[in-house]
Amino acid sequence: MSEMASPKHLESVPSREENFAEHGIEWLREHGYKVTSQRRAILELFGRLGEHLKPGQIHTRLESKLPSLSLATVYNTLELFEEEGLVNRVTAQDGETYFDPNIQPHHHAVCNQCGGLFDIDIEGDQLDQLAEASGTTEREETDFAITGATIWFRGVCESCDDG
Amino acid sequence: MSEMASPKHLESVPSREENFAEHGIEWLREHGYKVTSQRRAILELFGRLGEHLKPGQIHTRLESKLPSLSLATVYNTLELFEEEGLVNRVTAQDGETYFDPNIQPHHHAVCNQCGGLFDIDIEGDQLDQLAEASGTTEREETDFAITGATIWFRGVCESCDDG
DNA sequence: CTACATGCAAAATCTTTGCATAATT
DNA sequence: AATTATGCAAAGATTTTGCATGTAG
């Protein structure tokens, strides 16, 4: 059931996006949660955009389709999705809260110029190496047993570098 | 001086704590800013504790000394200090905003058990290695020129590991 | 029908802002 | 005395909460 095929055909990657909503809906059903139009719409929005979204953005983007959608419901829904592992909560370095449909462990990069947020894949053992390299497990003053890490890169994205 | 043994163990930078307030006060003077009791108190608090502090914490901790201190002044002062490079603004992974008198480039670790926040030193070239290792500069889909990174480690601190 | 989800409005935080007052230089 | 900083109160922004209503199963 793991369709994490290596991205050899970059043009035909769209399956994840389209299936995100379907998977989510089925998940809700299987776990006894009600499939409401609001939950469906939020899942579909994630599936369509595949991006990190802020609660307010979600609310705004769904306003036309669901005029009665309340921000409280957006928050409720995101809380549910996060608790159940359908999305990840991401706090950016500027304090903004995003929700990310990409639940694979990964990191982020922020473009200094356009402010864009990009996913960065990184190998698990490279993280271990980093932990070792940081020397934090060796220094007596800061003996800290590392179980994980989140990295925020800064730099310039491809688009901004071109222009 | 301080009865509370603060969890700061940077042997290499011992005088910084004591001089932090003095340096800050002199800096204000030299740059034409007024040395007020509020600014002095905030600098001294950082110098005494040498820790990451939230605006609200600063306000609370100074309440007894400066009963009239307003939260707005705390924010104004922190904004000034940050703009002038006397402190760093730090947004934790849970979205909390801290101000850090340690302006040396460094990273942070959060203890899963006690929630404590610890400084982590890391070599610059190790960061470069990490950037390289992440492969982000090579993958065509995510060509991103890295200029810096901020790392948040999670794990268990020494105290919690002992108990 | 019954349980759960939604919408609304109010409240709790955190942070910023405008202006009169106060303190530093 | 002049200029800048402070305090206060009000306003934004974000997120949470309580309760009546609505709706999926």
Side-chain angles (χ1 to χ4, degrees), chain A residues 14-27:
Chain A
S15 55
R16 194 187 67 75
E17 277 113 49
E18 281 151 29
N19 292 337
F20 183 81
E22 291 174 19
H23 284 152
I25 290 165
E26 188 172 331
W27 190 97

Side-chain angles (χ1 to χ4, degrees), chain A residues 22-34:
Chain A
E22 291 174 19
H23 284 152
I25 290 165
E26 188 172 331
W27 190 97
L28 289 173
R29 216 166 250 136
E30 289 173 350
H31 290 255
Y33 291 105
K34 291 182 177 170

Side-chain angles (χ1 to χ4, degrees), chain B residues 34-82:
Chain B
K34 291 182 177 171
V35 179
T36 65
S37 55
Q38 293 85 346
R39 288 173 177 170
R40 199 192 305 262
I42 293 174
L43 287 170
E44 286 169 354
L45 186 64
F46 275 124
R48 215 171 333 118
L49 302 181
E51 279 176 20
H52 317 79
L53 293 170
K54 291 186 271 193
Q57 291 179 319
I58 293 171
H59 184 247
T60 302
R61 295 215 184 197
L62 295 177
E63 230 162 20
S64 50
K65 289 256 174 184
L66 294 171
S68 71
L69 176 66
S70 76
L71 203 39
T73 295
V74 174
Y75 277 99
N76 285 338
T77 304
L78 291 173
E79 187 183 19
L80 171 67
F81 288 177
E82 189 208 358

Side-chain angles (χ1 to χ4, degrees), chain A residues 109-138:
Chain A
V110 180
C111 177
N112 296 330
Q113 291 180 33
C114 68
L117 213 171
F118 302 87
D119 280 2
I120 300 290
D121 295 314
I122 192 167
E123 301 294 322
D125 26 313
Q126 285 166 352
L127 184 57
D128 293 339
Q129 287 175 357
L130 172 69
E132 289 299 324
S134 73
T136 53
T137 55
E138 299 160 21

Side-chain angles (χ1 to χ4, degrees), chain B:
Chain B
M1 284 289 174
S2 59
E3 284 104 338
M4 303 181 27
S6 63
K8 193 144 195 345
H9 315 283
L10 293 177
E11 308 162 21
S12 50
V13 200
S15 56
R16 197 189 61 73
E17 278 118 49
E18 284 144 32
N19 294 336
F20 184 81
E22 290 174 20
H23 285 151
I25 290 166
E26 188 171 330
W27 189 97
L28 289 173
R29 216 165 250 137
E30 288 172 350
H31 290 256
Y33 291 105
K34 291 182 177 171
V35 179
T36 65
S37 55
Q38 293 85 346
R39 288 173 177 170
R40 199 192 305 262
I42 293 174
L43 287 170
E44 286 169 354
L45 186 64
F46 275 124
R48 215 171 333 118
L49 302 181
E51 279 176 20
H52 317 79
L53 293 170
K54 291 186 271 193
Q57 291 179 319
I58 293 171
H59 184 247
T60 302
R61 295 215 184 197
L62 295 177
E63 230 162 20
S64 50
K65 289 256 174 184
L66 294 171
S68 71
L69 176 66
S70 76
L71 203 39
T73 295
V74 174
Y75 277 99
N76 285 338
T77 304
L78 291 173
E79 187 183 19
L80 171 67
F81 288 177
E82 189 208 358
E83 285 173 352
E84 301 296 353
L86 274 65
V87 301
N88 276 147
R89 181 190 296 258
V90 172
T91 301
Q93 286 304 98
D94 62 356
E96 294 285 348
T97 299
Y98 293 87
F99 287 84
D100 188 348
N102 180 0
I103 55 173
Q104 312 277 323
H106 66 285
H107 301 281
H108 295 98
V110 180
C111 177
N112 296 330
Q113 291 181 32
C114 68
L117 211 171
F118 301 87
D119 281 0
I120 300 291
D121 296 313
I122 191 167
E123 302 294 321
D125 27 313
Q126 285 167 351
L127 184 56
D128 294 339
Q129 287 174 359
L130 172 69
E132 289 298 324
S134 74
T136 54
T137 55
E138 299 159 24
R139 297 184 57 183
E140 45 180 342
E141 324 91 279
T142 46
D143 188 7
F144 196 94
I146 294 171
T147 61
T150 301
I151 308 176
W152 285 89
F153 292 99
R154 290 178 296 283
V156 184
C157 75
E158 196 170 16
S159 307
C160 290
D161 204 30
D162 289 341

